[in-house]
């Protein structure tokens, strides 16, 4: 077997993250594949920061200085794809698929950055379109390769364990019942009717929330904390960064961790890396 250590993190601007210490973290974590969201930099910037030992695929956003997703690997990507949803839907900088050969086996990795949304605004409309496109793409991905994983900042807490102060957020983007219903279907038994938090029903897609499967029935572990106030020190966070794996890949997980900074002043992003070892 070959260990694949896959780390995913919303860097909140990769140049700023490196200035604050991301490089030191990366140097000590022995990561094989690194998925980044909210890169907000050029491909040349990424290559310069990461160094020659990394093969980088990058999809910047249409609007400069926003979003952007990338995957860096010790292995060269066999192929990568950036299309998601209808042709008129602009998913640039938010969905990047790449195939890697790991120990003679192909693994498909997707780095994604779902819209944050804002209730009753065009931003939320874009989020609904994106979640619809994900719903359509997940079965296709599994058909393409049974060993596939979607990682990144999905900007939705699935249930009450995923947000410290969930009662105050049920009407806010990120914890809306309709958003959570998508995730119930992502993780529901394949083909079985799944009732969402909004009362809607749809077929389960059978994918696995690796973080929840590994952590069990506990609060968190959270992956994002506001910069403001005492949110980090009080662990008042949200679990919105995921590894969403096919069942075939999920059963190969050997270790899961959230690399929460030791102290507020040691943070280099408002998100923590989610690092998972897969035995391929």
């Amino acid at each position: 077997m070959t260990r694949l250590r896959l780390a995913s993190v919303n860097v909140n601007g990769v140049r700023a993250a490196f200035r604050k210490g991301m490089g030191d973290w990366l140097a000590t974590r022995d990561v094989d594949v690194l998925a980044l969201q909210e890169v907000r930099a050029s491909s040349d910037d990424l290559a310069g920061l990461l160094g020659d030992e990394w093969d980088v695929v990058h999809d910047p956003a249409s609007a400069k200085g926003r979003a952007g997703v990338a995957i860096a690997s010790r292995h060269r990507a066999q192929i990568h794809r950036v299309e998601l949803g209808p042709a008129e839907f602009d998913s640039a900088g938010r969905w990047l698929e790449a195939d890697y050969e790991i120990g003679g086996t192909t693994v498909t990795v997707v780095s994604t950055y779902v819209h944050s949304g804002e209730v009753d605004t065009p931003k939320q409309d874009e989020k609904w379109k994106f979640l619809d496109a994900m719903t359509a793409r997940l079965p296709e991905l599994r058909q393409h390769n049974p060993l596939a994983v979607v990682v990144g900042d999905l900007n939705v807490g699935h249930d009450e364990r995923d947000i410290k102060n969930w009662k105050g957020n049920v009407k806010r983007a990120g914890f809306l019942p309709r958003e959570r219903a998508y995730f119930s279907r992502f993780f529901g038994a394949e083909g079985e009717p799944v009732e969402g938090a909004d009362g809607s029903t749809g077929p389960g897609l059978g994918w696995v929330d690796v973080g929840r499967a590994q952590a069990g029935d506990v609060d968190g572990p959270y992956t994002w904390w506001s910069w403001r106030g005492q949110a980090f020190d009080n662990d008042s966070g949200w679990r919105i960064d995921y590894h969403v794996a096919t069942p075939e890949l999920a059963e190969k997980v050997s270790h899961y961790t959230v690399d929460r900074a030791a102290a507020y002043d040691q943070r280099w992003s408002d998100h923590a890396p989610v690092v998972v070892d897969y035995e391929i």
Side-chain angles (χ1 to χ4, degrees):
M1 284 189 178
T2 301
R3 186 214 70 188
L4 166 63
R5 176 164 292 169
L6 172 57
S8 176
V9 60
N10 178 322
V11 292
N12 200 18
V14 71
R15 288 169 296 187
F18 265 80
R19 284 197 303 271
K20 295 174 181 176
M22 179 180 170
D24 294 336
W25 166 81
L26 188 58
T28 64
R29 283 305 265 130
D30 195 22
V31 171
D32 300 301
V33 178
L34 175 66
L36 306 176
Q37 303 89 45
E38 215 170 344
V39 172
R40 303 205 306 255
S42 70
S43 296
D44 287 343
D45 288 332
L46 263 177
L49 291 167
L50 290 170
D52 295 339
E53 67 268 29
W54 293 91
D55 178 70
V56 181
V57 289
H58 176 218
D59 186 38
S62 300
K64 191 175 180 180
R66 294 181 58 198
V69 288
I71 307 174
S73 175
R74 310 290 188 178
H75 319 267
R76 183 170 292 276
Q78 295 170 299
I79 188 172
H80 71 275
R81 302 163 294 273
V82 297
E83 296 81 14
L84 179 72
E88 69 275 10
F89 178 50
D90 180 11
S91 65
R94 293 189 178 274
W95 185 269
L96 173 62
E97 305 176 10
D99 289 353
Y100 296 97
E101 186 175 316
I102 311 293
T105 300
T106 298
V107 177
T108 299
V109 178
V110 182
S111 179
T112 189
Y113 176 43
V114 176
H115 303 70
S116 56
E118 187 178 334
V119 175
D120 296 331
T121 72
K123 291 181 180 179
Q124 192 67 30
D125 294 337
E126 289 300 297
K127 190 173 189 177
W128 299 133
K129 291 178 187 176
F130 197 93
L131 292 171
D132 284 338
M134 275 187 69
T135 302
R137 182 60 182 151
L138 286 176
E140 296 171 353
L141 263 180
R142 190 178 177 192
Q143 188 171 26
H144 163 72
N145 184 7
L147 299 182
V149 60
V150 177
V151 301
D153 177 2
L154 303 190
N155 262 315
V156 175
H158 178 211
D159 63 37
E160 294 162 6
R161 298 168 294 182
D162 296 320
I163 300 181
K164 181 68 170 286
N165 298 314
W166 65 268
K167 290 182 180 178
N169 286 287
V170 291
K171 295 183 179 180
R172 289 185 58 195
F175 201 59
L176 297 173
R178 181 178 166 189
E179 293 174 334
R180 295 160 56 202
Y182 280 92
F183 283 62
S184 294
R185 291 189 286 272
F186 294 165
F187 306 136
E190 185 177 8
E192 296 296 321
V194 177
E195 184 174 346
D198 63 344
S200 65
T201 302
L205 300 185
W207 287 62
V208 178
D209 177 354
V210 171
R212 181 54 61 211
Q214 292 294 309
D217 186 12
V218 299
D219 292 339
Y222 307 124
T223 64
W224 174 86
W225 304 261
S226 171
W227 287 114
R228 298 191 298 271
Q230 301 295 310
F232 184 79
D233 293 337
N234 296 334
D235 201 24
S236 294
W238 296 45
R239 190 178 74 92
I240 54 176
D241 301 89
Y242 292 77
H243 283 230
V244 180
T246 61
E248 295 87 345
L249 187 59
E251 68 181 16
K252 299 180 182 297
V253 172
S254 60
H255 192 256
Y256 168 92
T257 187
V258 176
D259 279 6
R260 188 182 191 274
Y264 179 92
D265 60 1
Q266 296 179 34
R267 303 170 77 194
W268 42 265
S269 171
D270 50 355
H271 294 255
V274 181
V275 185
V276 180
D277 289 350
Y278 299 88
E279 301 297 330
I280 306 301

